[in-house]
């Protein structure tokens, strides 16, 4: 069993698969499925515990340089499993009871290729190496998928307005960050998430990004439960409710969940500093958000 407490490496595809396998071997009630594959064929895993009815969704690492969130997801899943089995109440949450009523689905990494590019460079995505090399232009941050599409700009929410803003900011082609693609859902990673959300009626969703210690809950006619969820997370973690800058609105997963799926959703920006946040941030930041992650199961 890999103890995630002692993780001292970034969660690349190998480490992620090993951690998921170990969790599934230890907890036979943890259900694992592959909801899709990245452009380079890497698995996008979903882990589910408890009731299949209206589960809550926690999804992380839409952006390559934000892989620290995968560690938060794996650690949280491990703690939830332990509490579910022991029928214990971490942070005052009766996990077994809560998840019998409404399950939890965790996606540790939405953008597996982006993480590999961030960690190992373009050689980790051979098929797209030339494109990655030509657009990265010496940049040391890679947020997009393997063909330079920012997955959190590729959902069908305010897409036309987003394109207009991209053009105004001179973003017209594949890029390490912020290029939303030619059309919504042009990428296998966003299609995988869309299909998962269309086949599961999620009760609400939290998308984990980095960094800033902020919570975004507003989009158009923000549902009241998005606000409640955002305020709950913020008050328990000390994070601040914020409004994203213009180019970070529209095309996002949270926006699509609210606007199209009519499902309450928030974005959480974990940690503070410069992406990629170093491994040393993992445990102290997890401690900071742990209570919020458990208590939000009850919202
Ligand atoms: Zn992000």
């Amino acid at each position: 069993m890999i103890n995630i407490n002692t993780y001292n490496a970034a969660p690349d595809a190998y480490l992620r698969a090993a951690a998921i396998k170990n969790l599934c071997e230890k907890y036979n009630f943890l259900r694992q499925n592959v909801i899709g594959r990245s452009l380079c064929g890497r698995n996008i895993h979903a882990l589910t515990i408890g009731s299949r009815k209206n589960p809550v969704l926690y999804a992380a690492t839409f952006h390559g340089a934000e892989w620290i969130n995968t560690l938060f997801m794996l650690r949280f899943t491990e703690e939830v499993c332990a509490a579910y089995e022991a029928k214990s109440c971490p942070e005052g949450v009766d996990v077994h009871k809560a998840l019998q009523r409404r399950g939890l689905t965790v996606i540790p990494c939405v953008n597996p290729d982006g993480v590999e590019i961030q960690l190992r460079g373009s050689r980790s995505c051979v098929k797209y190496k030339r494109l990655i090399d030509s657009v990265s232009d010496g940049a040391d941050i890679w947020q997009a998928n393997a063909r330079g599409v920012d997955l959190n700009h590729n959902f069908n929410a305010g897409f036309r307005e987003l394109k207009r803003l991209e053009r105004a900011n001179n973003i017209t082609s594949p890029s390490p960050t912020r290029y939303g693609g030619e059309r919504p859902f042009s990428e296998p990673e966003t299609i995988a998430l869309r299909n998962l959300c269309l086949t599961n009626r999620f009760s609400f969703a939290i998308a984990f990004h980095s960094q800033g210690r902020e919570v975004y809950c507003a989009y158009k006619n923000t549902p009241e439960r998005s606000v409640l969820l955002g305020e709950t997370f913020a008050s328990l973690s000390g994070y601040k409710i914020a409004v994203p800058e213009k180019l970070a609105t529209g095309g996002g997963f949270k926006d699509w969940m609210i606007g199209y799926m009519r499902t309450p959703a928030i974005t959480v920006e974990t940690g503070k500093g410069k992406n990629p946040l170093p491994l040393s941030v993992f445990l102290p930041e997890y401690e900071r958000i742990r209570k919020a992650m458990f208590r939000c199961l009850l919202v």
Side-chain angles (χ1 to χ4, degrees):
M1 176 71 194
I2 290 178
N3 181 351
I4 292 162
N5 255 318
T6 63
Y7 270 9
N8 55 4
D12 62 7
Y14 175 78
L15 195 81
R16 211 166 44 239
I20 290 170
K21 182 168 174 277
N22 285 329
L23 283 173
C24 291
E25 279 170 7
K26 185 167 181 190
Y27 301 106
N28 61 13
F29 52 84
L30 178 64
R31 306 190 294 277
Q32 183 234 129
N33 62 318
V34 173
I35 62 164
R37 291 196 170 76
S38 68
L39 281 168
C40 292
R42 296 186 170 97
N43 289 337
I44 302 170
H45 295 278
L47 300 166
T48 301
I49 311 150
S51 170
R52 289 172 199 275
K53 228 174 73 187
N54 302 118
V56 163
L57 176 65
Y58 286 12
T61 314
F62 294 71
H63 291 136
E66 300 172 11
W67 48 256
I68 195 121
N69 292 287
T70 297
L71 294 182
F72 297 145
M73 294 301 108
L74 292 171
R75 174 79 181 134
F76 182 65
T77 303
E78 186 173 26
E79 285 209 284
V80 166
C81 285
Y84 187 87
E85 187 174 69
K87 299 198 170 153
S88 61
C89 302
E91 306 293 358
V93 177
D94 185 332
V95 169
H96 192 270
K97 201 171 147 197
L99 298 187
Q100 286 290 302
R101 183 171 70 90
R102 194 174 69 179
L104 167 69
T105 295
V106 176
I107 303 177
C109 182
V110 174
N111 183 9
D113 293 346
V115 171
E116 297 301 312
I117 297 166
Q118 178 64 40
L119 296 175
R120 310 241 145 72
S122 58
R123 67 194 158 97
S124 60
C125 292
V126 177
K127 201 174 152 195
Y128 298 93
K129 187 178 182 309
R130 197 178 296 174
L131 180 143
I132 296 163
D133 288 340
S134 74
V135 306
S136 61
D137 197 24
D140 54 1
I141 300 286
W142 188 273
Q143 296 284 44
N145 73 352
R147 62 179 166 212
V149 174
D150 190 320
L151 298 178
N152 211 43
H153 287 205
N154 190 241
F155 288 85
N156 195 9
F159 200 76
R160 203 173 297 170
E161 170 65 3
L162 179 75
K163 284 279 118 183
R164 198 186 60 73
L165 286 169
E166 282 182 8
R167 281 193 297 274
N169 284 274
N170 220 6
I171 303 167
T172 54
S173 58
S175 162
T177 184
R178 297 193 158 188
Y179 170 65
E182 283 180 19
R183 57 180 194 285
F185 298 118
S186 57
E187 306 306 302
E189 297 90 348
T190 49
I191 291 171
L193 205 43
R194 178 188 67 181
N195 291 346
L196 180 78
C197 293
L198 290 173
T199 49
N200 290 265
R201 205 55 217 173
F202 287 113
S203 185
F204 65 77
I206 305 182
F208 290 83
H209 289 254
S210 287
Q211 49 77 46
R213 292 194 181 136
E214 290 180 332
V215 177
Y216 302 146
C217 42
Y219 182 71
K220 290 189 176 161
N221 303 320
T222 310
E224 253 170 60
R225 277 189 65 230
S226 268
V227 177
L228 177 64
L229 191 61
E231 282 173 352
T232 303
F233 198 102
S235 67
L236 294 170
S237 60
Y239 284 17
K240 289 204 161 40
I241 302 270
V243 180
E245 58 180 295
K246 256 210 157 160
L247 197 54
T249 16
F253 173 63
K254 160 188 78 67
D255 309 329
W256 177 74
M257 283 298 261
I258 294 175
Y260 181 81
M261 294 299 294
R262 305 272 177 243
T263 299
I266 60 170
T267 295
V268 172
E269 297 279 354
T270 63
K272 194 118 191 159
K274 188 180 174 301
N275 284 328
L277 293 171
L279 275 169
S280 58
V281 161
F282 163 51
L283 272 182
E285 200 65 24
Y286 181 74
E287 286 308 314
R288 194 182 280 265
I289 61 175
R290 183 177 185 268
K291 186 183 272 186
M293 289 176 79
F294 275 107
R295 293 275 187 90
C296 279
L297 294 175
L298 303 176
V299 172

